[in-house]
Amino acid sequence: MKTKKKIAAMLLAVALCMAGAVTLFAAVALPSISSSKPIVCYTLKASGKVYAYSAANLRNKTGGYIDCATDECRILRISGNAVQVKYPVSNGTRTAWFPRSAFSGYNMENGAAQRWTQDRQVTTYRRADGRTSYGSISAGDTCYKLSESGNYMQVVYPVSNGYKMGWIAKNGSSGSNGQSSQGSSSQPVPNGMYKVVSMIDRQYVWDIYDASTDNGGNLQLWKDNGTNAQKFTFTYNSDGYYTITNANSNKAVDCAGGESANGTNIQQYTPNNSNAQRWKLTSVGNGYYTFQCKGNGKMIDVSGGVASSGTNIQLYQSNGSKAQKFALVKTQKKQGASNNTNKSGREAVISYMNAMATIEWTPKKSFQHWSYSSKNRHVWTAGTTYYGIPYTQKARNTSLEAFQGKLSGKVYTGPSGKNTYMGNDCSSAVSYAYRKVNSKFPILATGGLYPVDGKTKKVGKYDHKNLRNTASICTRNGKNVMKDSYSSLQPGDLLLKNPSGAHVMMVTEVGNDYVKVTHQTTYKSSLHSSWRVNERMSFDSLYNSRYIPVTMASW
């Protein structure tokens, strides 16, 4: 038996070499797990059900099941082709046996996992699609590769009180000597600042119109003039895509509205880590590259294939033309020029709001989610990665800095009582964001944000005289007036509903008939967050939900 295992390990090593991989992994068994040190994970399938069995022989079903779309599981024990799993049910958790194949194609009991020491932080995902992040692996972590699917590898990695099983991009793993586990580095160009030159005519380069520093500043072609508006910083991410930021504005190259249609405009926008701001560079020879958007698979393209100053740059399906090929020329920021690193007040407010909404943390110990309703049984679970300062209406006085002060690495070590853990609700979150501009802005409930108390003022021309109910205001003014008022919003303004279903959201972007908002709201298990970041809402939906537009009075 031992001889067979050695032969299997040798065959695996040969297969890796034949695939062009540098064998930096050691073939080993998985680490020991138990009820106190489980493997936390989701099923392989993203939907449907996996049914439970009463014993490891998988003969008798119990009637219980795992909901693949929502249920995070804990593998407590491995026995042949079965795994013992603790999974959530309506009134708590239950333990039963499930087929090992529901979680991994790897022989988890006797298989030869590939072990390595990670040398840089990488993002992990629930499944092999890169859609829902699940946490991260830190430099120095000992990791175990189980299997592959497309461009992703299934891995087991350490977390507080056990392990997690998730997926990482193949180019995200590396041995302790810094070489990629897939052989030579897959990074097409080194991080740095470049001019981006069109293959149509090398006199013309990417340029931000009028050297704008605003969100929505347009990306175009322009004759090379050496300004910072024509220089871009390329930063390679663990998912194999680049973030590209303009040297003059520090804004990221972005698909307008996150759209995917041919002809969608390319603009600059505050970096937000969305797929609309991730770009895959592929060499096409002779120093030229194509730029493919992660969010939609479309290419950066010179409109009409014409190189001239002012020609627009857009998204378009891949066609192999010169309009989609660009060279990168190393450059430096022009000294003495304005770097525009001081954000405007509105940008500072939005940046702070988004930072509160996306900070990663893991409870040191589990604690109960605060709620008015006894039916809300959500628990902030030790060892699970969450995103955004947690929701509460008791200790609703937590700034980003205060929350960061209670993190040891990413582990939250602050108060953990149901009514004492650190957090915010929708209104206290926007209040803290507004303090980045007005340090005296009070921590208010939604009622205090109503535009008659001197803290906020209305946006637009709606009439709210003698009214303190947003539904009554919308009814009095009608849809057309309210939609006109919504169109007057600017990033950093608010949308308020009060008192019925009281809520407030911060505007991050304004379109022709929609806004995007970031807000603290109900917990959503699929996001591991009580926040929504840059959520799109139409003017019609805002009116139907009876929101009114307001903003800080001191602006």
Side-chain angles (χ1 to χ4, degrees):
M1 191 68 174
K2 291 182 179 178
T3 301
K4 288 182 180 180
K5 289 185 180 179
K6 288 181 179 178
I7 292 172
M10 290 173 64
L11 290 173
L12 179 62
V14 170
L16 286 169
C17 291
M18 290 177 67
V22 175
T23 309
L24 301 173
F25 298 116
V28 297
L30 284 178
S32 297
I33 62 172
S34 64
S35 58
S36 60
K37 276 197 166 186
I39 296 177
V40 182
C41 60
Y42 283 83
T43 57
L44 290 176
K45 295 194 303 180
S47 61
K49 298 176 181 178
V50 179
Y51 288 92
Y53 292 83
S54 59
N57 59 21
L58 302 179
R59 292 176 183 172
N60 300 314
K61 290 184 178 180
T62 67
Y65 63 86
I66 294 169
D67 185 332
C68 298
T70 60
D71 290 350
E72 185 180 51
C73 304
R74 282 163 171 72
I75 297 176
L76 312 179
R77 183 181 169 195
I78 302 166
S79 178
N81 290 322
V83 288
Q84 189 181 44
V85 176
K86 180 182 285 188
Y87 63 100
V89 293
S90 59
N91 59 351
T93 60
R94 188 174 295 164
T95 299
W97 290 88
F98 292 85
R100 177 259 299 160
S101 58
F103 296 92
S104 177
Y106 169 79
N107 184 340
M108 300 174 78
E109 186 175 45
N110 298 313
Q114 299 170 46
R115 182 179 65 195
W116 78 97
T117 301
Q118 184 67 16
D119 74 346
R120 65 183 183 275
Q121 181 170 310
V122 295
T123 299
T124 62
Y125 301 93
R126 286 189 187 178
R127 297 184 174 91
D129 54 16
R131 293 179 181 176
T132 305
S133 59
Y134 197 31
S136 62
I137 300 173
S138 300
D141 283 351
T142 298
C143 307
Y144 301 82
K145 174 189 171 184
L146 307 188
S147 60
E148 295 187 4
S149 178
N151 293 322
Y152 294 87
M153 301 191 304
Q154 189 180 38
V155 296
V156 171
Y157 60 99
V159 295
S160 301
N161 301 320
Y163 303 89
K164 266 190 175 182
M165 183 163 65
W167 297 82
I168 64 172
K170 286 183 180 179
N171 56 21
S173 66
S174 56
S176 58
N177 63 1
Q179 289 178 275
S180 167
S181 65
Q182 302 302 310
S184 60
S185 172
S186 60
Q187 183 171 345
V189 297
N191 290 355
M193 189 171 291
Y194 297 87
K195 294 187 295 184
V196 185
V197 180
S198 174
M199 189 179 194
I200 303 169
D201 186 335
R202 291 186 65 94
Q203 296 182 84
Y204 293 89
V205 299
W206 287 8
D207 175 279
I208 298 296
Y209 172 75
D210 200 29
S212 172
T213 60
D214 295 334
N215 283 335
N218 193 49
L219 184 68
Q220 61 180 6
L221 276 190
W222 199 270
K223 198 165 186 178
D224 189 353
N225 57 26
T227 63
N228 288 339
Q230 297 184 345
K231 298 174 182 179
F232 296 82
T233 299
F234 284 64
T235 303
Y236 192 65
N237 300 295
S238 61
D239 59 1
Y241 290 76
Y242 286 85
T243 301
I244 306 171
T245 54
N246 181 251
N248 184 57
S249 65
N250 296 316
K251 300 288 177 68
V253 175
D254 175 282
C255 297
E259 301 293 335
S260 60
N262 285 338
T264 294
N265 199 43
I266 307 295
Q267 61 179 11
Q268 66 177 5
Y269 202 84
T270 301
N272 56 29
N273 292 321
S274 69
N275 288 344
Q277 297 182 353
R278 294 289 178 102
W279 303 96
K280 183 178 182 179
L281 272 64
T282 301
S283 174
V284 292
N286 299 317
Y288 288 92
Y289 299 86
T290 58
F291 292 71
Q292 183 181 41
C293 180
K294 183 176 181 179
N296 49 53
K298 298 291 180 68
M299 301 293 184
I300 290 183
D301 177 282
V302 176
S303 180
V306 176
S308 62
S309 291
T311 298
N312 194 43
I313 292 177
Q314 62 181 5
L315 272 187
Y316 208 83
Q317 66 191 43
S318 178
N319 57 28
S321 70
K322 290 183 178 180
Q324 296 182 354
K325 298 175 182 178
F326 304 89
L328 274 63
V329 177
K330 194 79 173 177
T331 187
Q332 294 180 339
K333 181 178 284 189
K334 187 175 181 180
Q335 299 302 312
S338 173
N339 295 335
N340 297 299
T341 54
N342 294 324
K343 296 181 177 180
S344 70
R346 291 180 180 274
E347 289 173 321
V349 164
I350 293 170
S351 177
Y352 193 83
M353 188 76 169
N354 284 342
M356 286 193 293
T358 57
I359 187 171
E360 292 186 30
W361 62 282
T362 300
K364 184 176 181 180
K365 60 181 181 179
S366 300
F367 55 91
Q368 179 70 43
H369 174 275
W370 176 89
S371 175
Y372 278 129
S373 171
S374 60
K375 295 180 180 180
N376 190 329
R377 297 181 179 275
H378 169 63
V379 172
W380 304 104
T381 305
T384 298
T385 297
Y386 297 100
Y387 301 90
I389 294 174
Y391 185 92
T392 179
Q393 288 188 2
K394 285 293 183 180
R396 52 184 295 275
N397 56 355
T398 304
S399 66
L400 176 64
E401 295 80 6
F403 192 73
Q404 289 171 327
K406 294 298 182 181
L407 295 183
S408 176
K410 292 184 180 179
V411 177
Y412 171 73
T413 60
S416 55
K418 180 179 177 181
N419 294 327
T420 61
Y421 72 82
M422 298 176 70
N424 277 319
D425 63 3
C426 59
S427 56
S428 62
V430 300
S431 295
Y432 271 111
Y434 273 175
R435 285 187 170 195
K436 300 308 294 180
V437 174
N438 177 4
S439 62
K440 296 182 179 180
F441 196 88
I443 304 303
L444 298 172
T446 50
L449 295 170
Y450 200 80
V452 296
D453 297 326
K455 306 300 186 298
T456 64
K457 59 186 178 183
K458 70 176 183 178
V459 173
K461 297 181 179 180
Y462 63 85
D463 175 19
H464 65 289
K465 186 176 180 181
N466 298 324
L467 293 177
R468 294 189 65 94
N469 183 307
T470 63
S472 299
I473 291 173
C474 289
T475 299
R476 172 187 286 180
N477 290 272
K479 181 179 285 190
N480 290 337
V481 171
M482 295 310 301
K483 289 175 73 171
D484 283 344
S485 297
Y486 300 146
S487 67
S488 300
L489 285 162
Q490 298 182 61
D493 291 340
L494 306 177
L495 286 156
L496 177 68
K497 179 166 65 172
N498 187 69
S500 178
H503 192 51
V504 64
M505 308 180 292
M506 179 170 287
V507 176
T508 58
E509 181 182 321
V510 182
N512 291 331
D513 59 357
Y514 72 90
V515 294
K516 289 186 179 180
V517 292
T518 293
H519 54 123
Q520 169 81 294
T521 181
T522 55
Y523 179 77
K524 189 171 184 179
S525 60
S526 62
L527 299 176
H528 278 219
S529 180
S530 55
W531 290 79
R532 309 294 184 270
V533 180
N534 295 330
E535 183 176 31
R536 181 172 174 140
M537 303 189 74
S538 69
F539 287 174
D540 283 334
S541 68
L542 293 173
Y543 177 78
N544 292 337
S545 298
R546 299 303 193 249
Y547 280 96
I548 63 172
V550 300
T551 194
M552 185 162 51
S554 56
W555 275 350

